[in-house]
Amino acid sequence: WTARRMVEHLVSPSGLAARPDRVCLFGQSIGTSVALHVAADPHSAAAKCVLLSPFTSIPDMCRHFFAFVPRPDLFVLDAFDSRRIAPDIRIPTLILHGTHDEIVPYEQGRQLAALLPAATFVRLPGAGHNNTFDRPHYRTFITELLRFLSL
């Protein structure tokens, strides 16, 4: 995966030589699954992970939006199944999710947080999927991010 190689380059002496304890993964929406898959790699150098508007899996998203499809997993080539790998991820993870997210159901963010052993969940009241960096959500996002990174 390109994301794994990027993290390797960050900490490699021939790359940026960053200290592994300073590496924090970040993913938003579909990128949350990519970040979690990198975090699940036992050789990953990442120390923390931040997820904004995460979903549990693509089949779960399909079931939410297309309830009439009995087996959406049959039509999905890559399930981006964060729910399956979440219990194995040990690094501290911050999840932020808008209560009015019109793309990724808020409840999927809550479910994922419950599955991650070292997760902190932050509710963004009134935030949708694409306005989490607008006021007043921006202030909450930055405050919680800075708090998490300073731990």
Side-chain angles (χ1 to χ4, degrees):
W1 278 38
T2 304
R4 283 192 182 109
R5 286 190 171 164
M6 192 178 334
V7 172
E8 289 169 9
H9 179 73
L10 278 172
V11 298
S12 168
S14 62
L16 297 178
R19 292 186 358 226
D21 64 322
R22 305 281 297 160
V23 175
C24 180
L25 304 169
F26 177 84
Q28 181 175 3
S29 195
I30 199 161
T32 62
S33 188
V34 175
L36 283 179
H37 277 78
V38 173
D41 182 343
H43 304 293
S44 175
K48 293 183 179 185
C49 186
V50 176
L51 307 176
L52 179 59
S53 305
F55 59 94
T56 51
S57 73
I58 295 295
D60 288 347
M61 290 290 293
C62 290
R63 277 189 278 283
H64 176 78
F65 286 106
F66 309 107
F68 57 88
V69 177
R71 293 275 319 270
D73 54 305
L74 297 176
F75 303 101
V76 175
L77 294 177
D78 189 338
F80 285 88
D81 195 347
S82 297
R83 185 173 24 108
R84 180 182 56 78
I85 63 170
D88 298 326
I89 296 170
R90 300 289 176 226
I91 63 174
T93 304
L94 174 65
I95 296 180
L96 302 109
H97 208 126
T99 58
H100 289 88
D101 192 322
E102 64 282 2
I103 306 295
V104 177
Y106 173 78
E107 191 51 41
Q108 286 194 25
R110 300 276 311 164
Q111 290 170 9
L112 197 55
L115 294 170
L116 287 158
T120 300
F121 185 85
V122 175
R123 184 175 168 266
L124 298 173
H129 192 73
N130 293 310
N131 69 346
T132 52
F133 295 109
D134 295 344
R135 288 188 176 148
H137 321 299
Y138 176 76
R139 184 175 301 278
T140 303
F141 176 84
I142 292 299
T143 301
E144 294 298 333
L145 179 64
L146 292 174
R147 180 179 297 138
F148 177 72
L149 292 176
S150 69
L151 296 176

